[in-house]
Amino acid sequence: MSYYLRLLFIIFSVTYGVAQEKNEIEKRVKKDEIPNQAKEWLEDAFEQERRTKWYYQTDGEKQGYEAKLKQNKHLHSVEFDMEGKVENIEIKIKEDEIKEEAYQTIFDYFKSNYIRYSLKKIQIQYTGESDDLKDLIDEGEIENLVINYEIEYYGKTDKDNTLWEGLFDADGRLIEKRYVNLKLTDNLDY
Amino acid sequence: MRIYIYIIGLLLFSSSYAQENQTTFGLFPEASLSYKLLKNYSITHKFESQHGFYDSENLNKELEYEHTLTDLQTFIGRRITPFIKVDIGYQYRIEEGENTHRTIQQVSILQRESHFRIGHRVRIDQTFFNKASLLFRARYRIKGQIPLQGESLDNGENYLSISNELIYMIQSGEDDLENRLTAALGFYIDDKNKFEIGLDYRTDDFLVKDRFRHRIWLKFGYYKTL
C-alpha cells in the first residue's frame, strides 16, 4: 500500500516544465576582459592560484561570464553577471554524490517516466549571496544557499527518444526540463 | 597551428617512402546533402570525386591530369538514440574500365567529451563487378572534431578534424588492408553548413607482396543539411 501511495505522491509532485530548447553560446575570453570584481571574488574564495579558464556566455537573453577551474578533483563552474557579481556555482559530481534527501526522488522520477534512461552529466548548483557562496568554497559551509541539481540525461518513452537537461530541487523534485539540441553529425557519419 | 604540424608530419612520412613505392597525389572534392524524411529518419546524398595529378608509376608521372573516379552515394538513416544512428546506402562509381555498384551498411556512434566529440563508424560494404567476383570490405573509422575557439563549437568558429580508418577487404579469397588518415581544418559556418579542407593520406596493399601504395589527396568537403 505504502508503495502505491509513494508512487502516487511522486506522480503528482512532478512538475512538468514547459519543454524548451537549450541553445547556449559560449566563447573563450582572456582574463583581462573579465571585471575585477569577478577575479577578486575568485581569488578570495579559492585562495590558492588555480588554472582558470574564462568564458563569456549567453543564451540569447541573459549574458555573463563563467570561470572553470578544478578543486578537490571536481570541476567547478562559477557564473558571474556582466558586472562581475557572482551568481552561482556548479560542481560536476558523480551519481553517488547526489545528497541522500534528493537521490531517491530523482531516480523515482526517471523510473516512472522513462522506459530507459541514462544520466550523462550531473552538476550540483549552489545559488546565493556572494559571501555565502564564498563560505561554501573556502569553508565547505552550506548556509542560505539554494541547492539544485542540473542533470543531463537521455530518456526513452514510447513516443520520445530525447536528450534532456532537467533541473531538480534539493529534495529531488523536477523544477523544469528542456531539450538538449545535439549538433548534427553529418560530417562524422559520412 | 596544430594542423600545420600534422600536415608537415604527413608529408615527411609519406615522402620517405615515395621513391620505392607507388605514390599518387591529387584533388578530392566531396559534398554531402542531408535532410529529414520522417521523425528519426533521414536521407543523405554524397558526391565524391578523385582527380589524380601525379603518379610515380603510371602515365601521368609528369603532372598530367587524370580523372580517377567519381562516387555517387545515397543513404537512408535511422536514429536509434541521440547517440546512435544506423544507415543503409548505395553507391554508383564512375571509373575508367567498369562502373560499379556498391551496397553499404553502417552504424555511427557519437561520443561526447567536454572539449571535443568523437564519431565512431563501423561500416561493411559489398562491391559488385561485371567481370570480377564480389569485393567485401569491413571498416572502422574514428573521427575527432575539436573546436579551436572555446569549449563548444559556435557559428563562425573553426575546428580541427582528425580521422583514421582501417579497412579490411577480401575478394576471391585474397585479402588486404588499407589505412586512411586525414587531418583537416573545419569551418563551422553554422550547424547546417560545414566546410573541411585538409589532407587524406591513404596506404594500401599492406598484405600484397612487394607492393605498397601511397595516395595523398588534397580533400575539401562541404556538408549541407536542409
Side-chain angles (χ1 to χ4, degrees):
Chain A
M1 188 60 198
S2 70
Y3 172 79
Y4 289 108
L5 272 176
R6 207 170 75 191
L7 200 67
L8 269 178
F9 173 72
I10 289 157
I11 290 166
F12 283 111
S13 66
V14 162
T15 328
Y16 287 96
V18 184
Q20 295 167 316
E21 275 185 36
K22 184 191 177 182
N23 258 327
E24 279 174 358
I25 293 174
E26 67 56 36
K27 269 188 173 39
R28 187 86 192 261
V29 286
K30 290 196 178 109
K31 203 180 168 185
D32 325 338
E33 297 169 47
I34 303 298
N36 281 334
Q37 195 187 345
K39 286 186 278 196
E40 281 160 15
W41 185 91
L42 205 75
E43 276 164 31
D44 263 12
F46 286 86
E47 287 163 1
Q48 279 175 312
E49 183 93 10
R50 277 168 209 283
R51 232 184 74 178
T52 308
K53 286 180 181 171
W54 289 96
Y55 298 89
Y56 159 82
Q57 63 173 30
T58 177
D59 58 5
E61 288 171 19
K62 196 172 171 286
Q63 40 181 356
Y65 294 105
E66 189 174 32
K68 289 193 180 186
L69 67 166
K70 260 189 174 173
Q71 194 189 38
N72 303 329
K73 292 181 184 167
H74 283 81
L75 186 72
H76 288 55
S77 305
V78 187
E79 282 187 16
F80 300 90
D81 66 14
M82 291 305 280
E83 276 73 52
K85 186 176 179 293
V86 64
E87 291 186 322
N88 66 57
I89 300 169
E90 289 175 344
I91 303 169
K92 198 175 165 188
I93 57 169
K94 295 203 177 95
E95 208 175 293
D96 56 12
E97 291 173 292
I98 297 174
K99 291 186 200 309
E100 218 183 310
E101 53 270 33
Y103 192 93
Q104 195 60 43
T105 315
I106 288 174
F107 282 88
D108 283 343
Y109 168 78
F110 289 132
K111 283 174 198 157
S112 53
N113 283 280
Y114 299 100
I115 303 166
R116 225 173 51 224
Y117 66 89
S118 71
L119 275 55
K120 300 294 176 191
K121 187 181 174 188
I122 310 166
Q123 285 180 302
I124 185 165
Q125 189 187 76
Y126 298 95
T127 312
E129 286 305 314
S130 170
D131 289 343
D132 297 320
L133 285 168
K134 188 172 161 287
D135 289 346
L136 169 78
I137 298 299
D138 58 12
E139 283 158 37
E141 222 178 76
I142 303 172
E143 251 180 22
N144 308 320
L145 293 177
V146 178
I147 298 176
N148 286 318
Y149 294 91
E150 197 180 277
I151 302 177
E152 191 187 88
Y153 66 95
Y154 157 66
K156 184 177 163 58
T157 64
D158 287 337
K159 294 178 201 157
D160 237 356
N161 206 350
T162 314
L163 192 65
W164 294 99
E165 188 186 88
L167 191 67
F168 298 83
D169 69 12
D171 298 320
R173 284 182 301 243
L174 181 75
I175 300 167
E176 58 171 16
K177 62 174 182 176
R178 53 183 180 171
Y179 293 117
V180 178
N181 240 354
L182 276 183
K183 294 203 160 76
L184 293 170
T185 56
D186 52 352
N187 61 329
L188 297 176
D189 299 342
Y190 304 102
Chain B
M1 187 56 210
R2 269 178 294 181
I3 188 159
Y4 298 116
I5 298 168
Y6 278 102
I7 291 170
I8 291 165
L10 269 178
L11 288 172
L12 285 178
F13 178 65
S14 54
S15 63
S16 62
Y17 284 91
Q19 284 138 5
E20 293 163 29
N21 302 286
Q22 188 190 353
T23 304
T24 63
F25 178 78
L27 294 180
F28 192 154
E30 60 176 17
S32 86
L33 175 71
S34 304
Y35 49 91
K36 259 200 162 166
L37 196 63
L38 292 161
K39 197 187 171 198
N40 296 329
Y41 285 89
S42 60
I43 302 269
T44 298
H45 304 291
K46 191 174 180 191
F47 153 88
E48 53 182 47
S49 191
Q50 296 176 353
H51 304 269
F53 284 96
Y54 171 82
D55 191 325
S56 65
E57 270 188 3
N58 283 354
L59 303 168
N60 56 343
K61 199 170 181 174
E62 287 157 2
L63 283 178
E64 263 182 64
Y65 169 76
E66 181 194 54
H67 169 251
T68 315
L69 55 87
T70 295
D71 290 340
L72 304 168
Q73 303 174 334
T74 292
F75 295 89
I76 300 176
R78 181 174 195 274
R79 197 160 275 294
I80 308 291
T81 76
F83 308 102
I84 301 171
K85 191 170 176 233
V86 291
D87 277 90
I88 51 169
Y90 164 77
Q91 173 188 287
Y92 184 67
R93 169 168 289 182
I94 302 158
E95 193 173 16
E96 207 179 293
E98 183 187 342
N99 293 351
T100 56
H101 303 275
R102 178 180 289 169
T103 47
I104 303 164
Q105 303 83 43
Q106 73 174 44
V107 180
S108 325
I109 299 162
L110 174 68
Q111 179 188 339
R112 293 180 311 150
E113 299 295 331
S114 54
H115 291 70
F116 56 92
R117 57 183 202 158
I118 296 173
H120 301 273
R121 185 181 81 185
V122 178
R123 185 186 262 195
I124 50 171
D125 63 44
Q126 306 80 33
T127 313
F128 303 91
F129 301 88
N130 276 333
K131 291 168 195 138
S133 51
L134 177 87
L135 167 70
F136 174 84
R137 304 195 301 172
R139 37 206 284 200
Y140 166 69
R141 186 177 82 175
I142 181 166
K143 184 171 179 180
Q145 188 181 24
I146 309 152
L148 293 174
Q149 294 105 4
E151 272 200 339
S152 67
L153 213 45
D154 300 316
N155 293 355
E157 292 185 347
N158 301 338
Y159 60 93
L160 185 67
S161 156
I162 296 171
S163 79
N164 195 64
E165 183 169 29
L166 188 65
I167 304 170
Y168 172 79
M169 59 192 91
I170 184 159
Q171 186 177 31
S172 312
E174 283 180 30
D175 57 358
D176 191 21
L177 287 173
E178 177 175 340
N179 192 72
R180 297 176 177 178
L181 176 68
T182 73
L185 180 65
F187 298 86
Y188 187 82
I189 302 157
D190 57 41
D191 206 28
K192 293 180 170 178
N193 293 282
K194 292 178 279 281
F195 178 70
E196 292 181 5
I197 181 162
L199 287 180
D200 180 322
Y201 172 55
R202 300 183 172 186
T203 43
D204 62 355
D205 295 335
F206 279 86
L207 307 180
V208 180
K209 212 181 165 193
D210 298 328
R211 219 176 102 98
F212 192 61
R213 187 166 66 147
H214 307 266
R215 287 174 292 170
I216 303 162
W217 301 102
L218 178 64
K219 199 175 191 177
F220 43 99
Y222 199 92
Y223 296 89
K224 169 87 189 163
T225 296
L226 297 179

